[in-house]
Amino acid sequence: MFSRQTPTNAAGGAKSIAVTTEKLIASVLAANANERTLCGIGVASAGAIDVERGTVFAATKNLPGWTGFPLRAYFAEKFRLPVFVENDGHAAALAELYFGEGRSFNDFVVITLGTGLGGGIILDRLLLRGVHGFGGGIGHHTINFESGPECNCGRRGCLESYVSSNALVRDYCATTGIGSVTAEEIARRAALGDAAANEAIDRMAEALGQGLANVWSFVDPEVIILTGGVTGAFSGFQDKLMAVLNESLPFSALRKPRVLLSTTNMFAGVQGAAAAVFQGQHV
Ligand SMILES: [Zn+2]
């Protein structure tokens, strides 16, 4: 399995994302030209993915023009290899299933905490994709439909609008008046004792605790596994998160909800895309 990183440049539209990705794949192939026993290319993408057709069924306005994009056909034509496409949250769940903490469990939920909030539900060690690819779309269940922040999906108060690096930055900037800061910087300031940073992280942890209690209520998994960049700040919000989860979840004393941190970290999407290839080979 090979990997390399580059920014997406989503604002440039679908063609720009595809060309950027194509160049990236070409560079990975060129750098590993002597190890060519490739069985396929795995692509993990945001948006609801039609796995059968290998197309993007629907994507939010974060990825302009991405809805309908024929991912499999595009890359299969360029590279003459079998191409397998998954939603990025689903890919993260597959990564846990085959390479991560999920190897030890049959029923678990993976939640990706990054610029947005995605997820994947594994039941009896099978991924729940749903009919249109929206299965496990935990980021867009609302925890405040009346007065929550407007979400990029068009609803109000989705979990993603409270729990993501974008949400943390927006909250911190709104309360402090600071114009621009990264989520990593907020976490750093919190560790140094910045009260506003700690309060913003606390609010995020509280929303996440409520969201996880909802997820636990309708899935009743063995564990929830958190992955993605925001988990870098986990030690700063773990206690608050677990307190809210235990308070909010019915019968929590009996169920003893467990939340684990992923060990696949930044490579969840890549490993999950690779897992999609391995899984596809055996269908
Ligand atoms: Zn939403």
Side-chain angles (χ1 to χ4, degrees):
M1 191 168 67
F2 312 123
S3 74
R4 195 169 277 195
Q5 289 184 41
T6 195
T8 317
N9 186 25
K15 184 73 182 172
S16 164
I17 302 172
V19 169
T20 303
T21 311
E22 182 190 329
K23 285 181 183 163
L24 191 66
I25 295 171
S27 77
V28 171
L29 292 179
N32 298 281
N34 297 327
E35 301 183 54
R36 294 291 291 271
T37 46
L38 294 175
C39 50
I41 295 172
V43 180
S45 166
I49 302 298
D50 183 332
V51 174
E52 297 293 317
R53 293 185 175 84
T55 58
V56 180
F57 180 75
T60 64
K61 57 190 177 188
N62 288 0
L63 295 170
W66 204 228
T67 297
F69 192 83
L71 277 167
R72 176 191 293 151
Y74 183 90
F75 292 114
E77 199 254 317
K78 301 283 178 193
F79 296 104
R80 304 286 166 195
L81 281 167
V83 175
F84 300 88
V85 189
E86 286 284 358
N87 162 269
D88 52 0
H90 292 175
L94 290 176
E96 293 302 328
L97 182 68
Y98 290 110
F99 306 113
E101 294 293 332
R103 284 176 296 181
S104 313
F105 303 103
N106 289 321
D107 303 299
F108 60 93
V109 178
V110 174
I111 296 188
T112 57
L113 305 173
T115 51
L117 190 153
I121 297 172
I122 302 284
L123 295 174
D124 278 339
R125 296 193 64 75
L126 290 173
L127 173 65
L128 179 89
R129 290 194 180 87
V131 176
H132 304 99
F134 289 101
I138 292 148
H140 297 289
H141 90 275
T142 177
I143 57 171
N144 185 0
F145 66 89
E146 279 186 317
S147 54
E150 208 170 294
C151 182
N152 57 30
C153 73
R155 300 177 84 193
R156 282 193 176 277
C158 289
L159 189 62
E160 175 174 297
S161 62
Y162 290 95
V163 186
S164 60
S165 59
N166 284 346
L168 181 64
V169 167
R170 191 191 55 235
D171 183 0
Y172 183 74
C173 288
T175 52
T176 59
I178 290 169
S180 160
V181 66
T182 64
E184 292 77 18
E185 174 62 16
I186 298 171
R188 200 183 65 81
R189 291 182 187 186
L192 293 172
D194 179 324
N198 277 303
E199 285 161 19
I201 288 175
D202 257 18
R203 283 190 290 274
M204 183 178 76
E206 181 163 22
L208 182 58
Q210 293 292 349
L212 294 199
N214 293 343
V215 171
W216 224 291
S217 286
F218 57 74
V219 179
D220 196 21
E222 293 170 271
V223 292
I224 288 182
I225 301 167
L226 303 181
T227 184
V230 176
T231 58
F234 187 65
S235 60
F237 64 79
Q238 180 179 16
D239 290 349
K240 178 79 175 177
L241 166 68
M242 293 311 296
V244 174
L245 173 57
N246 278 296
E247 276 166 29
S248 307
L249 178 67
F251 303 106
S252 64
L254 292 173
R255 297 203 237 187
K256 299 184 176 62
R258 287 177 69 195
V259 176
L260 302 178
L261 267 195
S262 167
T263 49
T264 62
N265 294 323
M266 296 301 288
F267 295 105
V270 176
Q271 291 188 334
V277 176
F278 305 145
Q279 207 176 44
Q281 297 281 310
H282 294 99
V283 165

Short mmCIF file of all heavy atoms in Angstrom, two decimals, residues 2-3 51 78 85 103 112 115-116 131 139 143 170 177 179-180 184 187 192 194 205 210 229 241 249 251 265 279:
data_model
loop_
_atom_site.label_atom_id
_atom_site.label_comp_id
_atom_site.label_asym_id
_atom_site.label_seq_id
_atom_site.Cartn_x
_atom_site.Cartn_y
_atom_site.Cartn_z
N PHE A 2 0.64 2.17 -0.96
CA PHE A 2 1.45 3.38 -1.06
C PHE A 2 0.59 4.59 -0.73
O PHE A 2 -0.61 4.58 -0.95
CB PHE A 2 1.99 3.54 -2.49
CG PHE A 2 2.60 2.29 -3.05
CD1 PHE A 2 2.13 1.74 -4.24
CD2 PHE A 2 3.63 1.65 -2.39
CE1 PHE A 2 2.69 0.58 -4.76
CE2 PHE A 2 4.19 0.49 -2.90
CZ PHE A 2 3.73 -0.05 -4.08
N SER A 3 1.20 5.68 -0.22
CA SER A 3 0.42 6.89 0.04
C SER A 3 1.26 8.14 -0.16
O SER A 3 2.49 8.11 -0.08
CB SER A 3 -0.15 6.87 1.46
OG SER A 3 0.87 7.12 2.40
N VAL A 51 -21.60 2.88 -4.73
CA VAL A 51 -20.48 1.94 -4.82
C VAL A 51 -20.61 1.04 -6.06
O VAL A 51 -19.62 0.68 -6.69
CB VAL A 51 -20.40 1.10 -3.52
CG1 VAL A 51 -19.35 0.01 -3.62
CG2 VAL A 51 -20.08 2.01 -2.35
N LYS A 78 -8.01 6.32 -16.98
CA LYS A 78 -6.67 6.91 -16.93
C LYS A 78 -5.59 5.87 -16.63
O LYS A 78 -4.49 5.93 -17.16
CB LYS A 78 -6.59 8.00 -15.84
CG LYS A 78 -7.56 9.14 -16.02
CD LYS A 78 -7.10 10.11 -17.08
CE LYS A 78 -8.12 11.23 -17.26
NZ LYS A 78 -7.88 12.02 -18.47
N VAL A 85 -14.56 2.56 -5.12
CA VAL A 85 -14.84 3.88 -4.56
C VAL A 85 -15.68 3.73 -3.29
O VAL A 85 -16.63 2.94 -3.25
CB VAL A 85 -15.61 4.75 -5.57
CG1 VAL A 85 -15.71 6.18 -5.08
CG2 VAL A 85 -14.92 4.72 -6.93
N ARG A 103 -10.78 -4.56 14.68
CA ARG A 103 -10.49 -5.99 14.48
C ARG A 103 -11.03 -6.83 15.63
O ARG A 103 -11.30 -8.01 15.46
CB ARG A 103 -8.97 -6.20 14.35
CG ARG A 103 -8.44 -5.78 12.99
CD ARG A 103 -6.94 -5.92 12.92
NE ARG A 103 -6.28 -5.01 13.87
CZ ARG A 103 -4.97 -4.89 14.01
NH1 ARG A 103 -4.17 -5.64 13.28
NH2 ARG A 103 -4.47 -4.04 14.87
N THR A 112 -15.50 10.11 12.27
CA THR A 112 -14.33 10.85 11.78
C THR A 112 -14.50 12.32 12.15
O THR A 112 -15.43 12.98 11.69
CB THR A 112 -14.16 10.70 10.26
OG1 THR A 112 -15.35 11.15 9.60
CG2 THR A 112 -13.93 9.25 9.89
N THR A 115 -12.32 18.31 9.40
CA THR A 115 -12.94 19.59 9.04
C THR A 115 -14.46 19.45 9.11
O THR A 115 -15.17 20.41 9.39
CB THR A 115 -12.53 20.03 7.62
OG1 THR A 115 -12.77 18.95 6.73
CG2 THR A 115 -11.07 20.40 7.57
N GLY A 116 -14.98 18.25 8.84
CA GLY A 116 -16.40 17.94 9.05
C GLY A 116 -16.51 16.75 9.98
O GLY A 116 -15.54 16.39 10.66
N VAL A 131 -29.14 2.50 1.19
CA VAL A 131 -29.55 2.33 -0.19
C VAL A 131 -28.85 3.31 -1.13
O VAL A 131 -28.47 2.97 -2.25
CB VAL A 131 -31.09 2.51 -0.31
CG1 VAL A 131 -31.55 2.43 -1.77
CG2 VAL A 131 -31.80 1.44 0.51
N GLY A 139 -22.92 12.92 11.03
CA GLY A 139 -22.65 14.36 11.06
C GLY A 139 -23.88 15.19 10.79
O GLY A 139 -23.98 16.33 11.24
N ILE A 143 -28.83 18.14 16.53
CA ILE A 143 -29.02 18.15 17.98
C ILE A 143 -29.68 19.46 18.42
O ILE A 143 -29.88 19.69 19.59
CB ILE A 143 -27.69 17.90 18.75
CG1 ILE A 143 -26.63 18.92 18.38
CG2 ILE A 143 -27.19 16.48 18.53
CD1 ILE A 143 -25.40 18.85 19.28
N ARG A 170 -14.95 28.36 14.44
CA ARG A 170 -16.02 29.35 14.38
C ARG A 170 -16.46 29.77 15.78
O ARG A 170 -16.62 30.96 16.07
CB ARG A 170 -17.21 28.78 13.60
CG ARG A 170 -18.26 29.83 13.24
CD ARG A 170 -19.54 29.20 12.72
NE ARG A 170 -20.07 28.24 13.65
CZ ARG A 170 -20.35 26.96 13.36
NH1 ARG A 170 -20.17 26.52 12.14
NH2 ARG A 170 -20.82 26.15 14.28
N GLY A 177 -13.50 37.15 19.33
CA GLY A 177 -13.33 38.24 18.37
C GLY A 177 -12.07 38.10 17.53
O GLY A 177 -11.75 38.96 16.72
N GLY A 179 -9.87 36.94 14.53
CA GLY A 179 -10.29 36.79 13.14
C GLY A 179 -9.97 35.44 12.53
O GLY A 179 -10.75 34.90 11.76
N SER A 180 -8.81 34.89 12.86
CA SER A 180 -8.39 33.67 12.17
C SER A 180 -7.46 32.85 13.07
O SER A 180 -6.51 33.38 13.65
CB SER A 180 -7.68 34.06 10.87
OG SER A 180 -6.89 33.02 10.41
N GLU A 184 -5.78 23.38 15.66
CA GLU A 184 -4.58 22.92 16.38
C GLU A 184 -4.10 24.00 17.35
O GLU A 184 -3.68 23.71 18.47
CB GLU A 184 -3.45 22.58 15.40
CG GLU A 184 -3.69 21.36 14.54
CD GLU A 184 -4.66 21.62 13.38
OE1 GLU A 184 -4.88 22.81 13.04
OE2 GLU A 184 -5.21 20.65 12.84
N ALA A 187 -6.30 24.11 20.40
CA ALA A 187 -5.96 23.01 21.31
C ALA A 187 -4.68 23.34 22.08
O ALA A 187 -4.57 23.06 23.28
CB ALA A 187 -5.80 21.71 20.53
N LEU A 192 -2.34 25.36 27.35
CA LEU A 192 -1.56 26.38 28.09
C LEU A 192 -2.42 27.17 29.07
O LEU A 192 -1.96 28.10 29.71
CB LEU A 192 -0.89 27.34 27.10
CG LEU A 192 0.21 26.73 26.21
CD1 LEU A 192 0.66 27.72 25.15
CD2 LEU A 192 1.40 26.29 27.08
N ASP A 194 -5.56 28.79 28.31
CA ASP A 194 -6.44 29.82 27.74
C ASP A 194 -7.90 29.46 28.05
O ASP A 194 -8.40 28.42 27.59
CB ASP A 194 -6.18 29.89 26.22
CG ASP A 194 -7.05 30.92 25.51
OD1 ASP A 194 -8.23 31.10 25.88
OD2 ASP A 194 -6.55 31.52 24.56
N ALA A 205 -17.09 19.21 23.23
CA ALA A 205 -17.15 17.90 23.89
C ALA A 205 -18.57 17.60 24.36
O ALA A 205 -19.03 16.45 24.27
CB ALA A 205 -16.19 17.87 25.07
N GLN A 210 -23.53 14.43 23.55
CA GLN A 210 -24.96 14.29 23.22
C GLN A 210 -25.12 13.48 21.94
O GLN A 210 -26.00 12.61 21.84
CB GLN A 210 -25.61 15.67 23.04
CG GLN A 210 -25.68 16.51 24.30
CD GLN A 210 -26.66 15.95 25.33
OE1 GLN A 210 -27.43 15.03 25.04
NE2 GLN A 210 -26.61 16.48 26.54
N GLY A 229 -8.34 14.34 12.56
CA GLY A 229 -7.42 15.33 13.12
C GLY A 229 -7.82 15.88 14.47
O GLY A 229 -6.95 16.14 15.32
N LEU A 241 -16.49 14.68 27.59
CA LEU A 241 -17.24 13.84 26.65
C LEU A 241 -17.86 12.64 27.35
O LEU A 241 -19.06 12.36 27.21
CB LEU A 241 -16.29 13.38 25.53
CG LEU A 241 -16.79 12.24 24.65
CD1 LEU A 241 -17.96 12.69 23.80
CD2 LEU A 241 -15.66 11.71 23.77
N LEU A 249 -27.07 8.98 28.13
CA LEU A 249 -27.47 7.70 27.54
C LEU A 249 -28.34 6.90 28.52
O LEU A 249 -27.90 6.59 29.63
CB LEU A 249 -26.22 6.89 27.18
CG LEU A 249 -26.47 5.50 26.59
CD1 LEU A 249 -27.13 5.62 25.21
CD2 LEU A 249 -25.17 4.71 26.49
N PHE A 251 -29.76 3.99 30.57
CA PHE A 251 -29.16 2.73 31.07
C PHE A 251 -27.63 2.69 30.89
O PHE A 251 -27.06 1.62 30.68
CB PHE A 251 -29.80 1.51 30.38
CG PHE A 251 -31.29 1.44 30.55
CD1 PHE A 251 -32.13 1.73 29.49
CD2 PHE A 251 -31.84 1.11 31.77
CE1 PHE A 251 -33.51 1.70 29.65
CE2 PHE A 251 -33.23 1.06 31.94
CZ PHE A 251 -34.06 1.36 30.87
N ASN A 265 -5.26 6.64 12.67
CA ASN A 265 -5.00 8.07 12.58
C ASN A 265 -5.20 8.65 11.19
O ASN A 265 -6.20 8.44 10.56
CB ASN A 265 -3.60 8.39 13.11
CG ASN A 265 -3.50 8.10 14.59
OD1 ASN A 265 -4.46 8.32 15.32
ND2 ASN A 265 -2.39 7.56 15.02
N GLN A 279 -11.63 -5.87 -0.47
CA GLN A 279 -12.99 -6.38 -0.33
C GLN A 279 -13.59 -6.61 -1.72
O GLN A 279 -14.22 -7.63 -1.98
CB GLN A 279 -13.83 -5.35 0.44
CG GLN A 279 -14.97 -5.94 1.19
CD GLN A 279 -15.71 -4.89 2.01
OE1 GLN A 279 -16.00 -3.79 1.53
NE2 GLN A 279 -16.04 -5.21 3.23
#
